[in-house]
Amino acid sequence: MIGVSWLMIALPLLGAAILLLGGRRTDRWGHFLGVAMSLAAFVVAVVSFVEILGLPESERRRGIELYQFIPGIADMGLLIDPLSISFALLITGVGSLIHIYSVGYMSHDPDRRRFFAYLNLFVAAMLLLVLADNYVALFVGWEGVGLASYLLIGFWQFKPTAAAAAKKAFIVNRVGDFGLLIAIFTVWTTFGSVAFGDLSGATVSEAIGSGGASQGTITAIGLLLLLGACGKSAQLPLQSWLLDAMEGPTPVSALIHAATMVTAGVYLVVRSGAFFEAAPTAQLVVTIVGVATLLAGAIIGCAKDDIKKGLAGSTMSQIGYMMLGAGLGPVGYAFAIAHLITHGFFKANMFLGAGSVMHAMNDEVDMRRYGGLFSVMKVTAVTFIIGYLAIIGFPLLSGYFTKDGIIETAMEHNQILGWLAVVGAGITGFYMSRMIFMTFFGKKRWADDAHPHESPSVMTVPLVILSIGSIFLGAFLILDNRFMKFLAPAVGAPEELPAFHFVSTAGLATLALVAVGAAFAWFRYGAAEVPRVAPRGSFLTTFARRDLYGDALNETLFMRPGQWLARIAVFVDNRGIDGLVNGLAATIGGTSGRLRRVQTGYVRSYALSILFGAAVVVGALLYVGNM
């Protein structure tokens, strides 16, 4: 099956083509086709994964040549190895559950068939991104994901906020994409290849040693790759699009902004580990960006009353943890990808749970108008709480193993980064507990026309499956270094395999701060009455509500200078370039108009002109002769 793993991409791409080209004729069964194509891709991924497990470790990197893409530069091919197949399982597995959930969630939408076409298109593009065997093919998938996310975020085009959010996501990501493009050009210029198989750590080190590549060039490649990663993964300073993207349907938030697309940047950094390991400065910047983002996302999540935007801030923060791990070398790679996979389960679980709540509350997203929903939505509440316990790192759940592994690894590399990550965990305990108390407990604050009820089984069954993964997956991946050993053929193995410590200074400090955060949230939002209208709050509250003034900063530094530059360019064009051309034309036209009056058509006028001219000539000759 490894030889036909291209079917993972082809099947959902075929589904998208049928649904888009078939038009309204596919409305009645289009959603079933979309689900079937995603599930079929998942089956191919599972069979390929099983086949990889049956191979010796030295043979777990298989290249598949498809066709000649750009002659002399890059062919279209796939690389099936432990890293890519892990992502393929996540994309198709969690993606299929979200497809199934969407059957119920989008049941009353007249354009449901088109929605499933876009979902299939996204899955196909994301699979190309992670399965490609070179940077050029990866970039094709990278841009395909950007297109699909634009279509999905702006799916409800009748909402101006959704259309604006889609454009914002597309434009902000173009900044990161530009960095990735320049990185690819630099890699090709320096090494003569863009294939991952030709760009190993040994190759990069040899190029530096022989003078074929300078240390500055490798550092520049790493920083440019990081810029591309920041765009897709909503890391500082390109994070501003993520919270606005919640305007799309909730399954979009679960698929794109929790489980798959926003993790593409982490994949890019890990896949490009050879460059970062050879450029310590770039590697350090990765960790700094990760820590800064995990703190920023956590702070934003503390002040959001919109349940989806609160989860979006959490996503931004958790990907910061992954980015921190990705900057710590082979040990960090394993924990980062493991946390990425477990996060895909518990965050998709919570996003879909939020969609279930919205489905029951007439699409209300303000948590101040929830309260007491546990009594009427027990399945949604229990599964959401399991995801909550996993993300805060409750002992023995998935996040406890993966996030704590990142924190401990960071502690060993840099105490400052490690302790900042611990602080971020404490803030996570607060804002996630706040969300739980405001939504499922306390007094009922529903609107008079709200009649909350449990969602249908087509929506709750995916929640149950995702919650099971949120419980057990972390322990399965981390204990006995199972996942680290599996990834080794793709990303390298550390000199010494680490042991997971159930009791450690960092772990105890993390649990203590999480407990303090949860207790404070209970004091503010569980035991006390939650006002239905948000109080004004302090400067810090306003700071967090306005996304740390990220939009204001972008507007001040980029948008307004860009507007003035455009206005100046228009003025110069209109008054300068066009003014010169039009002025010259007007001068010639005016002069010719005046000269035209000389031609009167009367013979006596012409005779008088001749007489006057002859007199001038004679006078001039006489004057010259007398000199």
Side-chain angles (χ1 to χ4, degrees), residues 42-231:
F42 176 64
V43 170
V44 177
V46 170
V47 175
S48 299
F49 169 68
V50 172
E51 189 170 340
I52 281 182
L53 286 179
L55 297 173
E57 286 191 14
S58 59
E59 299 179 16
R60 289 183 179 177
R61 285 174 62 91
R62 292 295 182 91
I64 301 170
E65 296 181 5
L66 297 180
Y67 57 88
Q68 191 178 57
F69 185 40
I70 303 177
I73 297 179
D75 293 334
M76 185 62 71
L78 305 182
L79 175 62
I80 309 300
D81 67 358
L83 179 61
S84 63
I85 203 65
S86 297
F87 271 83
L89 288 170
L90 175 68
I91 295 163
T92 56
V94 175
S96 294
L97 292 174
I98 294 171
H99 274 71
I100 294 169
Y101 176 96
S102 301
V103 172
Y105 189 86
M106 302 292 289
S107 59
H108 300 297
D109 196 295
D111 290 321
R112 179 169 63 168
R113 176 263 316 165
R114 182 165 56 88
F115 180 76
F116 276 86
Y118 294 161
L119 284 184
N120 272 195
L121 178 64
F122 172 82
V123 170
M126 189 68 199
L127 286 168
L128 174 59
L129 190 161
V130 300
L131 295 175
D133 69 350
N134 63 79
Y135 282 109
V136 173
L138 177 148
F139 189 76
V140 174
W142 192 272
E143 293 303 299
V145 165
L147 170 63
S149 67
Y150 170 79
L151 296 172
L152 286 166
I153 294 169
F155 180 75
W156 288 327
Q157 300 170 6
F158 56 86
K159 295 171 58 179
T161 51
K167 288 187 289 185
K168 184 176 182 179
F170 197 79
I171 292 171
V172 173
N173 270 273
R174 297 288 71 73
V175 178
D177 295 354
F178 179 75
L180 178 56
L181 263 180
I182 300 301
I184 295 173
F185 296 156
T186 308
V187 169
W188 166 255
T189 303
T190 305
F191 296 94
S193 175
V194 292
F196 299 138
D198 298 332
L199 300 169
S200 63
T203 302
V204 176
S205 298
E206 182 180 347
I208 296 174
S210 63
S214 67
Q215 188 67 53
T217 300
I218 303 302
T219 301
I221 291 173
L223 293 176
L224 289 167
L225 290 171
L226 175 61
L227 180 61
C230 286

